[in-house]
Amino acid sequence: MISLVTGLYSYINQQHEYCILTLGLAASGKTTIIEKIKNVYTGKPGMDPASIQPTIGLNIRNINIGKHRLKFMDLGGDDELHEIWKSYYTSCHGIMFIVDTCKPEILTKAMTTFENLMKSEELDGIPVAILGNKYDSENSLLPLEILKENVNKMADIVDNRSLHVFPVSGYTGDGLKYATNWMHQRMVERKDVKPPTIIKS
Ligand SMILES: Nc1nc2c(ncn2[C@@H]2O[C@H](COP(=O)(O)OP(=O)(O)OP(=O)(O)O)[C@@H](O)[C@H]2O)c(=O)[nH]1
Ligand SMILES: [Mg+2]
């Protein structure tokens, strides 16, 4: 009887953890976005964007939504760090790929990086949210339609996965809840293919 109660207790308290890998070129705004997402969901202030340094290792931020935990893994976007990204492919349930809309001159590089990412077998079928960032800025020179056109050119590589392009701002938080909710829903829909990690408390 005691073991039944204990089992029920741990079942009720268990959480399902989904891991979102946050990738993109250096200075596209990954860390700023994750800090803002945390703020949007918890109400707690994130790091001041002015104090955020380029990421060298790995930042992890967890957000609880009901019985689910979204684990954001934020990696550095510097070219030399792209090799490290691969170590996290097998454990992730979704990808947020950030594009800097203030730098249209590096869109081709961003898209090539994205294309290479999509060719990785470990990421087959994984839902992808492409976040066009910095739409708050007057220097944002990459219209959403152009970003979408560039993504659509890769239809054959992207294949039959769930993919959506979102306009966002890591400063104001615009679009971030919408994008995160979309990702959450897609990962849960896919739980039979890629099950969440069960965390017992
Ligand atoms: N205007 C504007 N600037 C932003 C926004 N998000 C980030 N930035 C700025 O962009 C720069 C890079 O931001 P980070 O969050 O460090 O970028 P990152 O992608 O994590 O960079 P790495 O860790 O080097 O890969 C900083 O100066 C940020 O303040 C945004 O939404 N709007
Ligand atoms: Mg960073």
Side-chain angles (χ1 to χ4, degrees):
M1 183 65 181
I2 289 173
S3 68
L4 188 67
V5 173
T6 318
L8 192 64
Y9 178 83
S10 62
Y11 176 77
I12 289 168
N13 284 298
Q14 77 184 14
Q15 262 194 318
H16 290 185
E17 182 182 83
Y18 292 93
C19 174
I20 301 170
L21 205 50
T22 314
L23 303 173
L25 298 183
S28 49
K30 298 177 289 299
T31 307
T32 308
I33 281 177
I34 302 303
E35 289 297 321
K36 193 66 187 177
I37 289 177
K38 177 122 192 169
N39 167 249
V40 166
Y41 278 89
T42 66
K44 292 180 190 152
M47 274 174 80
D48 176 3
S51 67
I52 294 174
Q53 300 297 316
T55 308
I56 293 164
L58 165 71
N59 296 320
I60 294 179
R61 293 284 177 271
N62 293 323
I63 289 161
N64 294 323
I65 302 181
K67 288 183 81 175
H68 296 166
R69 174 187 287 178
L70 304 191
K71 178 180 178 182
F72 288 88
M73 302 182 83
D74 166 31
L75 290 157
D78 197 80
D79 292 353
E80 289 165 17
L81 301 173
H82 291 194
E83 269 305 300
I84 300 174
W85 293 2
K86 294 181 182 153
S87 334
Y88 298 92
Y89 290 174
T90 47
S91 55
C92 86
H93 297 87
I95 289 193
M96 279 188 173
F97 189 84
I98 318 299
V99 176
D100 187 344
T101 65
C102 291
K103 291 185 192 149
E105 69 278 10
I106 56 167
L107 178 63
T108 307
K109 181 178 176 185
M111 287 295 106
T112 308
T113 306
F114 177 68
E115 190 176 350
N116 289 334
L117 196 62
M118 291 299 96
K119 286 178 185 163
S120 309
E121 270 178 33
E122 300 103 307
L123 298 176
D124 265 0
I126 294 279
V128 178
I130 298 196
L131 274 50
N133 189 29
K134 311 192 186 181
Y135 273 114
D136 61 278
S137 169
E138 58 188 23
N139 297 321
S140 171
L141 300 169
L142 178 65
L144 186 66
E145 287 315 311
I146 306 284
L147 178 56
K148 282 184 178 171
E149 270 172 32
N150 276 271
V151 172
N152 286 339
K153 279 184 204 159
M154 284 180 220
D156 51 331
I157 294 161
V158 164
D159 212 6
N160 58 353
R161 73 177 70 236
S162 300
L163 179 138
H164 201 91
V165 181
F166 298 87
V168 305
S169 165
Y171 277 8
T172 65
D174 283 351
L176 292 181
K177 199 159 191 179
Y178 186 41
T180 306
N181 285 345
W182 178 88
M183 176 59 78
H184 178 205
Q185 220 172 327
R186 297 287 94 75
M187 294 188 301
V188 172
E189 279 168 10
R190 224 175 150 255
K191 69 176 187 312
D192 293 337
V193 184
K194 180 112 191 192
T197 306
I198 306 291
I199 306 170
K200 296 193 173 93
S201 53

